Amino acid sequence: MPEPIDTDVAIVGGGPAGLAAAIALRRRGIARVLVLERESEAGGIPRHCGHPPFGIREFGRPMTGPRYARRLRAEAAAAGVDLRTGHSVVSLEPGGRLTVAAPEGVRTVAARRIILATGAREATRAARLASGDRPIGVINTGALQSYIYLKRLKPFRRPVVVGTELVGLSALWTCMRHGIRPVAVVEEGMRATARWPLSLFPRLLGIPVHYGSRLGDIAGLPRVTHVEIDGPGGRKSRLACDGVLFTGRFLPEAALVRMGTLALDRGSGGPAVDQHGRCSDPAYFAAGNLLRPIETAGWCFREGRRIGEAVADDLAGALPVATRTVRVGHAAPIRFAVPQSLSLAGSSRLTGTIQLRVGTESAGRLTVRAGGRLLWSRRIDTRPERRILVPLQGIDLPEGIDAIEIAIEPGGGA
Amino acid sequence: MPEAIADSNRISGIGTADVAVIGAGVVGCAVTRRLALLGARVVLLEKAPDILAGASKGNSALLHTGFDAPPGSLECALMQRGHAEFLDIRERLGLPLLETGAMVVAWNEAEEDELDAIEAQARRNGVGDVVRLGRREVLAREPALAPHLRGAVLVPREHVIDPWSTPLAYLTQALANGAQALFGAEVCGGSFDGEAWTLQTARGAVRAARIVNCAGLQGDRIERLLLGDASFEIRPRKGQFVVFDKPAAGLLTTILLPVPTERTKGIVLTRTIYGNLLVGPTAEEQDERDRATIEAETLAALIAKAVEFVPALDGMPVNAAYAGLRPATERKEYRIRHEKDRHWITVGGIRSTGLTAALGLAAHVAELLAGEGWQASPLEDPVWTPVPNLAEHRPRDWQAPNHGEIVCHCEMVTRREIEATFASPLPPGDFGGLRRRTRAAMGRCQGFYCGARLAELTAGRLAEPLAAGDADA
């Protein structure tokens, strides 16, 4: 067996969050920063998003995904990051040890700290329990974009597209630019998930959108020949097509966490962390879309940089020692809250930002309470998959309370 | 069909085969192997581009003892022969085994009342090592089970096997010992001239002295087509399954069987050899023989059932869902038809027990042939051809250096494995065949990460390509 690799910080995943963390750590003077990327090239999902705008805040100008990924790799190389592609982490061991499938065989990595940045992927046809045959041509956007941008191949010519999240619209863009003509978009909700004016995009392209509808049947073998759509009021219709593209409904790529000993948050589907990105095993941190589905590459980059800074502080003994842990609770329709806990050091003053998502379209007053007492609130009118932020900076937590509860309460007002 | 596939099974040079086997499911593969080892010139005819296109691709992957089979039945006897031969040959064919044992668990008083009869039937069937377990003993063995269970019968020699590598190994060994297999060779007609059969197939005429009909879901149609009448009627019974992601496998060691009903063995919860947890099958009668759809409501009900048995499965990610069709008939027993004068044997109505019984059925077919005067000349030193390992508990290819690259990260499938399967004597004919041989795209992401790379690696090599064209075109 090849020698174990010893390092200061090992980062699992070379997408925007992982590379940003690595760059931040090197710039803080951490000597050995190792990024383990299982693909043949680092850069993450942007590698196969052939459209702008990426990188406006990081690099000051809009660029396509592949260009952004190249820029990230160049920055990491310039910062002296040890980036190893073709390295697939297969298990996380307590205390900061990894088992890695490397090109030269199975290796162990021992690190003082490990940052998990394995990203997110879309819910598969199976995870959605979609009915019908199981033909060729049923895929997710991630696969579509790697077919087109990495391999110059078309997985289909006339697909039905399911979902209207931002990624679904990005999929339409990819299709139209490469001679694929979607026959329809199917959306369970009564309106688009993505924000106006992007939500108008399918109509501008002349693609019919079926709201309040779901796929009732996928038919065809070996390749898709048609689908059946269950529309509002039990109306059924049949559409000829040669593929189905399931878009959105992202899930953290958290298999390593589920297989190991780190605490997992059922709501987000990622590891439970505090505001520094620290997991239940203090040798492990997490950043990027592994924490929650889903944010932009730019968000993940900034989050990665922030967690990288926190790890540098931790290695320098400068991350404040927590004297009090505050649990972040939430109630339906809130689906998850990240971080799941706050580590307070010698003060009752809250810190950081909580990120939320709702499960259903919701309006009312978003509140933060502790022991029933209202600490913060604002009006909210939101839909699933949209970013919701609760700034906690400076709020005082009452004595003797070690949990806050976030809720959407009825009623609006100012 | 791509050139590469056609080239590997040229129809020329067969002459008159001793036996033509129709259907490359697990039974057809096992029969072909047995007859090849007995020195027969045997040709296997399959209408699909690959093996396991019908009933054999979707089952619960168990090696049964026959403890719950009808006492005195041929099915029981052949399952037990199959079980014994499998254990005897599996190491030489590279086939994995999980010695899990199975528990028939009673979840209520009525089911508990049945356990005595189940135990007695097992003993009557010669499965004398069954053990009755009380509630506490069951929970000590399987702490993740819902605590409201009442008791169980433990059947130690029920095991988990690889449902796809197993028939692949049978046919691979058959080919290495002189058998031939023709794919895309649907039988569309034929006649018996008193000496031999001439079959019209989609790949041309094939002449064989004898026919063994292992056509599974089409078994009765093949009889009607070639004999003029059918001795049974296939009544397809669909079974849907859900596959949980690998973290679920740690929740259960023993195969969980329900107290069976007259019609079905019921819903099973079991580990798979690949390190997942499987729940299913349902038992749904249907007329359609070529279409086994999955249905959202049924899958949700299966998941709910699994959570009822193992509460920690609540929220567990689902990797895959599939449906298989069992070739059930109007009666429960295996439908063996032997027409000595017309040199014909049908092996029909083989339901979920076929994976276990296949080797037993193959031996049975050989005996029937001997009974009509066919002279076997067993190979003195047959070639043994181990298949690549896909089982999670044994060394996998990715663990050895120089694997090229890991193509599928969820199932850790290497480029070397994919190239090896295309270079093998029995290369995959379609994408399903590639998945079953390598596990590629079988995992939690179902091709999100590796789909495009697989399309690139398989271009020109599969009956139905993954890519529908060139993106620049």
Side-chain angles (χ1 to χ4, degrees):
Chain A
M1 200 192 222
E3 289 286 290
I5 301 172
D6 191 53
T7 188
D8 292 319
V9 181
I11 297 169
V12 186
L19 291 179
I23 294 164
L25 282 157
R26 283 291 302 145
R27 288 186 179 158
R28 284 283 299 272
I30 305 301
R32 297 170 305 165
V33 179
L34 176 68
V35 174
L36 300 165
E37 168 56 50
R38 64 188 192 178
E39 298 290 340
S40 59
E41 195 174 63
I45 297 285
R47 279 179 312 132
H48 49 72
C49 295
H51 52 78
F54 285 89
I56 298 176
R57 286 180 63 175
E58 302 90 300
F59 303 120
R61 64 193 186 89
M63 41 182 109
T64 65
R67 196 183 180 93
Y68 174 74
R70 271 202 301 280
R71 181 70 184 264
L72 287 178
R73 291 196 296 270
E75 296 269 324
V81 172
D82 181 1
L83 171 61
R84 303 201 192 179
T85 56
H87 281 62
S88 195
V89 175
V90 293
S91 71
L92 314 177
E93 313 293 342
R97 273 182 26 258
L98 305 171
T99 310
V100 182
E104 65 276 15
V106 180
R107 300 191 72 163
T108 303
V109 171
R112 294 165 67 202
R113 297 291 181 276
I114 289 169
I115 302 176
L116 305 175
T118 48
R121 63 179 152 78
E122 293 159 289
T124 62
R125 179 255 168 93
R128 295 164 191 250
L129 306 182
S131 299
D133 290 323
R134 300 172 62 232
I136 288 172
V138 182
I139 63 171
N140 290 120
T141 318
L144 166 74
Q145 290 178 333
S146 39
Y147 266 93
I148 301 273
Y149 292 114
L150 300 181
K151 306 299 178 194
R152 302 274 156 214
L153 293 170
K154 280 182 205 170
F156 36 53
R157 295 169 188 282
R158 298 173 301 122
V160 164
V161 177
V162 181
T164 59
E165 290 176 42
L166 204 50
V167 63
L169 306 184
S170 148
L172 291 183
W173 162 282
T174 301
C175 287
M176 298 304 282
R177 282 182 34 122
H178 293 88
I180 297 171
R181 180 81 204 176
V183 294
V185 174
V186 178
E187 165 60 45
E188 280 190 26
M190 293 312 290
R191 46 184 182 156
T193 308
R195 286 176 192 276
W196 189 90
L198 286 169
S199 53
L200 299 177
F201 192 53
R203 222 193 301 162
L204 292 175
L205 296 173
I207 302 169
V209 184
H210 299 252
Y211 290 110
S213 302
R214 51 197 295 271
L215 281 196
D217 188 23
I218 299 170
L221 284 174
R223 181 169 281 282
V224 182
T225 54
H226 63 273
V227 298
E228 205 168 82
I229 295 173
D230 294 342
R235 205 176 58 239
K236 286 186 190 296
S237 53
R238 191 180 146 123
L239 276 179
C241 58
D242 69 347
V244 178
L245 184 68
F246 283 106
T247 73
R249 286 185 50 187
F250 279 86
L251 309 159
E253 180 57 70
L256 287 172
V257 176
R258 286 181 185 271
M259 297 293 284
T261 55
L262 297 180
L264 184 95
D265 175 38
R266 284 279 301 269
S268 68
V273 292
D274 71 4
Q275 76 272 30
H276 306 298
R278 188 163 38 191
C279 301
S280 58
D281 177 338
Y284 285 88
F285 288 70
N289 280 332
L290 170 65
L291 289 179
R292 104 260 87 199
I294 185 182
E295 273 298 346
T296 61
W299 177 285
C300 292
F301 181 90
R302 292 190 294 282
E303 188 168 66
R305 189 167 56 194
R306 183 171 66 79
I307 304 301
E309 296 282 346
V311 169
D313 286 344
D314 193 26
L315 287 172
L319 201 62
V321 177
T323 53
R324 194 169 167 194
T325 300
V326 179
R327 197 179 55 76
V328 179
H330 58 84
I334 296 171
R335 202 154 57 84
F336 63 77
V338 176
Q340 292 78 7
S341 67
L342 303 169
S343 304
L344 301 190
S347 149
S348 60
R349 191 145 282 206
L350 296 178
T351 166
T353 302
I354 305 283
Q355 207 183 96
L356 312 171
R357 293 286 189 281
V358 291
T360 52
E361 204 170 319
S362 316
R365 183 153 281 282
L366 178 62
T367 62
V368 179
R369 292 177 183 274
R373 206 170 104 196
L374 183 68
L375 301 181
W376 179 92
S377 80
R378 77 166 166 87
R379 263 196 56 167
I380 190 169
D381 183 352
T382 192
R383 287 186 232 172
E385 312 303 337
R386 290 199 178 166
R387 176 192 301 160
I388 308 166
L389 299 177
V390 178
L392 296 178
Q393 215 66 42
I395 296 174
D396 259 322
L397 191 70
E399 277 311 310
I401 301 277
D402 59 1
I404 56 173
E405 285 295 330
I406 305 180
I408 296 178
E409 299 176 14
Chain B
M1 189 169 291
E3 206 49 33
I5 295 172
D7 274 354
S8 66
N9 352 245
R10 278 188 199 285
I11 200 160
S12 57
I14 296 175
T16 301
D18 293 325
V19 184
V21 176
I22 301 174
V26 63
V27 176
C29 291
V31 168
T32 303
R33 170 184 174 274
R34 168 56 54 201
L35 298 181
L37 296 180
L38 288 174
R41 283 178 311 143
V42 47
V43 57
L44 173 62
L45 304 173
E46 169 57 49
K47 71 172 178 173
D50 205 344
I51 61 170
L52 315 183
S56 298
K57 75 168 171 243
N59 58 57
S60 42
L62 302 181
L63 187 69
H64 292 297
T65 55
F67 80 95
D68 56 353
S73 65
L74 186 65
E75 179 178 7
C76 184
L78 296 184
M79 281 166 77
Q80 294 182 346
R81 275 179 88 166
H83 188 285
E85 187 179 349
F86 181 86
L87 294 183
D88 183 43
I89 67 174
R90 71 169 190 94
E91 282 295 353
R92 280 175 286 171
L93 291 178
L95 294 172
L97 179 79
L98 277 177
E99 297 182 50
T100 54
M103 288 192 293
V104 183
V105 178
W107 294 95
N108 55 45
E109 208 178 320
E111 288 180 355
E112 197 178 4
D113 290 343
E114 297 287 322
L115 293 184
D116 281 344
I118 290 168
E119 197 183 339
Q121 185 179 357
R123 293 188 193 285
R124 203 153 64 240
N125 286 353
V127 183
D129 56 352
V130 292
V131 185
R132 186 68 171 267
L133 300 179
R135 183 175 163 276
R136 264 195 220 146
E137 292 163 297
V138 176
L139 289 172
R141 192 181 163 100
E142 295 294 350
L145 288 186
H148 69 275
L149 66 89
R150 314 276 298 207
V153 174
L154 173 70
V155 192
R157 288 179 301 110
E158 295 268 311
H159 300 319
V160 172
I161 62 175
D162 182 334
W164 299 318
S165 298
T166 297
L168 178 72
Y170 297 165
L171 187 54
T172 301
Q173 192 187 18
L175 298 182
N177 289 284
Q180 298 207 40
L182 286 177
F183 295 97
E186 181 168 9
V187 175
C188 8
S191 56
F192 181 65
D193 64 10
E195 201 161 292
W197 283 87
T198 304
L199 296 178
Q200 266 71 52
T201 83
R203 298 279 306 277
V206 172
R207 203 167 152 77
R210 293 169 178 80
I211 304 284
V212 183
N213 168 16
C214 304
L217 289 158
Q218 315 295 338
D220 56 344
R221 289 181 177 169
I222 287 290
E223 282 200 348
R224 210 169 292 124
L225 180 71
L226 298 175
L227 298 179
D229 68 280
S231 59
F232 58 91
E233 185 195 347
I234 292 291
R235 295 180 179 173
R237 188 177 297 152
K238 182 165 78 176
Q240 301 187 51
F241 294 85
V242 170
V243 183
F244 290 102
D245 198 3
K246 295 183 193 261
L251 295 172
L252 194 67
T253 305
T254 318
I255 302 160
L256 222 60
L257 303 173
V259 172
T261 67
E262 180 53 35
R263 204 167 57 95
T264 164
K265 290 166 91 77
I267 290 169
V268 177
L269 197 59
T270 172
R271 298 168 70 100
T272 72
I273 205 92
Y274 320 111
N276 299 93
L277 200 71
L278 179 71
V279 61
T282 54
E284 307 162 54
E285 316 291 338
Q286 68 174 44
D287 295 327
E288 179 80 62
R289 299 178 188 216
D290 300 313
R291 208 174 168 220
T293 57
I294 50 175
E295 277 117 34
E297 296 72 22
T298 313
L299 301 177
L302 279 175
I303 293 168
K305 195 81 189 160
V307 171
E308 185 189 321
F309 293 155
V310 179
L313 284 174
D314 189 18
M316 186 62 71
V318 166
N319 281 10
Y322 62 92
L325 292 179
R326 284 98 103 190
T329 70
E330 66 275 33
R331 293 213 293 273
K332 189 175 179 351
E333 68 258 31
Y334 287 177
R335 311 304 288 268
I336 311 292
R337 177 180 185 179
H338 188 192
E339 297 270 339
K340 283 187 189 174
D341 295 343
R342 289 193 275 180
H343 292 187
W344 178 281
I345 297 170
T346 293
V347 181
I350 315 296
R351 303 172 320 278
S352 54
T353 55
L355 179 62
T356 299
L359 294 170
L361 283 158
H364 185 64
V365 165
E367 285 164 5
L368 292 178
L369 288 177
E372 65 176 64
W374 175 68
Q375 295 284 328
S377 46
L379 303 187
E380 275 178 24
D381 192 13
V383 179
W384 289 87
T385 48
V387 288
N389 173 56
L390 301 177
E392 194 85 343
H393 66 290
R394 288 184 158 198
R396 290 277 311 272
D397 191 63
W398 62 267
Q399 290 159 308
N402 307 317
H403 51 59
E405 78 187 75
I406 290 167
V407 175
C408 164
H409 298 287
C410 301
E411 295 294 316
M412 298 298 282
V413 182
T414 68
R415 174 143 187 218
R416 180 170 55 194
E417 285 176 295
I418 289 172
E419 295 302 337
T421 196
F422 279 111
S424 74
L426 195 49
D430 55 19
F431 187 49
L434 176 69
R435 287 160 53 103
R436 292 189 286 273
R437 278 173 185 75
T438 64
R439 303 287 300 154
M442 286 284 215
R444 58 187 72 90
C445 93
Q446 296 280 299
F448 178 94
Y449 295 110
C450 68
R453 179 72 175 129
L454 286 171
E456 184 181 44
L457 289 174
T458 59
R461 295 166 132 178
L462 300 175
E464 175 72 24
L466 288 181
D470 189 330
D472 297 323

